[in-house]
Amino acid sequence: MKPKAILLPAGEMPRQWYNIQADIKINPPLGPDGKPIGPEMLSPVFPMNIIEQEVSTQRWIDIPEPVLDIYSIWRPSPLIRATALEKALDTPARIYYKNEGCSPPGSHKPNTAVAQAYYNKQFGIERITTETGAGQWGSALSFACAQFGLECKVYMVRVSFEQKPYRKTMMEVWGGKCIPSPSTETKAGRDALARDPNTPGSLGIAISEAVEAAVSDTTGKTRYSLGSVLNHVMLHQTIIGLEVKKQLAMAGEYPDILIACAGGGSNFAGLAFPFVLDKINGKKIEIYPVEPQACPSMTRGLFTYDYGDTARYTPLLAMHSLGHMFVPPPIHAGGLRYHGMAPAVSQLVEEGLVTPKTVNQLSCYEAGSLFAKTEGFIPAPETTHALAQTIAEARLAKEEGKEKVIVVNFSGHGLLDLAAYERYMAGGLKDVFLSDEKIAELKDAIKGHPVPERLKSIRK
Ligand SMILES: *Cc1c(COP(=O)(O)O)cnc(C)c1O
């Protein structure tokens, strides 16, 4: 028997994160006046040690010992050869998936949640607010806060709150508090409800609520935490790709294609950034972030400065965006319902270093179901986007008769998303496509925003 899982020995777990800002220049965030903002302007929102990481250009950053200690509950995570899926597809491609679904909350998100809780604790913070889409981030942060004895308050996008009640229960078991967004607790929430009392909610609105709740706390002991998009989040996730590199080396392989789904961009960044460094240095490798057809920020949005949230509390970020007012259709992959994309990922798209792809909801569940039947694990709805693209690439490899090595990030399991699978099997799921008119209307709304630099930004 040849083992399917490539397991990295515990002692081989990477002890540093890779910071892509050492190799790529990312357009800085701007204030409302259109000028780059200084670290002090972010200090009511984030602790200073995290702000320092956000702007750092140091290539390798040590992972603190207490963070490594908690990582070691589930890391190094397995890299698994998907031989049964390969067989079902009758493909000459070799498919490997990195299983980030084996963390306590079931996704890649604790890689940054644990780090962020640690840095907040170090800085003397006692309470963290955040938003969550499908509930993966809220549960990851609740878990991390429990590890460090911090309070956690989560604003959960209403449609997911209703579709996924057990994510709320998970947060509560770990001691977090979770309420549906928009709520009446914040001005941003009340405004959103006034605009549309039946709104399904969006990550943009929930971020506004969580930021408002943090900065309006007068004790000075509350900060906000974001589960994706920002540079420090991408940084913390790079442990994924760094482990994959070592695991592939153990198997004597190097990837031709890397694939991950992209909502805010963090699990994609985690897998891809260490390989982007190789690509900058001349390696040939295709790198695909995959987004839903219902929320196509990279493939159909504008590369522009835009707000990270609906109420415009955040600085302007240089990213691919469908506009901060966009409320994406209520597809089941709640974690991919975000109007923007991480500035670091957007910059790589602009540089042509990574190539975004879109997939539709139905092909995702088809892919998720085939994966579950062959490889066993039931993927999160977000993860099925990466798997749909993987299957498409494996079929292409068959047509071309090429032995490609495809590595896909299995960002999380779907055991709390079974209602979505139930609807799919009952034939109740539909594809959602945004018309050209709708996209033009969305772009029009943000046309006046400052335009980021497009110059080649590779630092040499
Ligand atoms: C949150 C989430 C995503 C999307 O977020 P990214 O920041 O783009 O990674 C993808 N997969 C799973 C399982 C998630 O929980």
Side-chain angles (χ1 to χ4, degrees), residues 33-97:
D33 58 357
K35 297 209 178 80
I37 56 160
E40 67 295 341
M41 286 180 72
L42 289 173
S43 65
V45 183
F46 299 109
M48 200 47 87
N49 47 7
I50 286 187
I51 296 171
E52 280 161 13
Q53 256 183 7
E54 180 63 18
V55 299
S56 169
T57 54
Q58 190 183 318
R59 184 171 285 115
W60 299 100
I61 294 181
D62 288 343
I63 306 175
E65 213 41 59
V67 174
L68 287 171
D69 186 55
I70 298 172
Y71 277 179
S72 73
I73 297 172
W74 73 95
R75 307 209 72 88
S77 69
L79 179 73
I80 302 168
R81 171 94 184 263
T83 45
L85 178 63
E86 289 169 15
K87 199 166 162 211
L89 296 169
D90 186 27
T91 177
R94 294 192 292 285
I95 303 171
Y96 294 87
Y97 64 96

Side-chain angles (χ1 to χ4, degrees), residues 106-109 136 227-229 261-268 335-336 380 382-383 411-412:
S107 77
H108 65 289
K109 291 204 168 75
Q136 290 270 21
S228 189
V229 180
C261 65
S266 74
N267 88 87
F268 168 74
L336 306 184
E382 292 82 2
T383 310
S411 57

Side-chain angles (χ1 to χ4, degrees), residues 61 125 314 347 358 364 400 416:
I61 294 181
I125 299 305
T314 73
Q347 192 66 41
T358 52
C364 289
E400 297 175 346
L416 286 108

Side-chain angles (χ1 to χ4, degrees), residues 265-335:
S266 74
N267 88 87
F268 168 74
L271 174 68
F273 283 8
F275 291 93
V276 169
L277 178 56
D278 291 358
K279 190 160 175 173
I280 290 172
N281 291 327
K283 276 267 189 203
K284 203 178 154 302
I285 174 168
E286 297 299 325
I287 308 180
Y288 302 147
V290 186
E291 60 186 10
Q293 217 170 48
C295 192
S297 56
M298 288 178 288
T299 50
R300 297 175 81 198
L302 271 186
F303 182 55
T304 182
Y305 269 104
D306 194 15
Y307 297 97
D309 70 319
T310 306
R312 293 180 293 175
Y313 292 150
T314 73
L316 283 157
L317 302 173
M319 59 183 179
H320 289 93
S321 178
L322 294 162
H324 59 280
M325 296 304 288
F326 177 48
V327 177
I331 54 167
H332 277 273

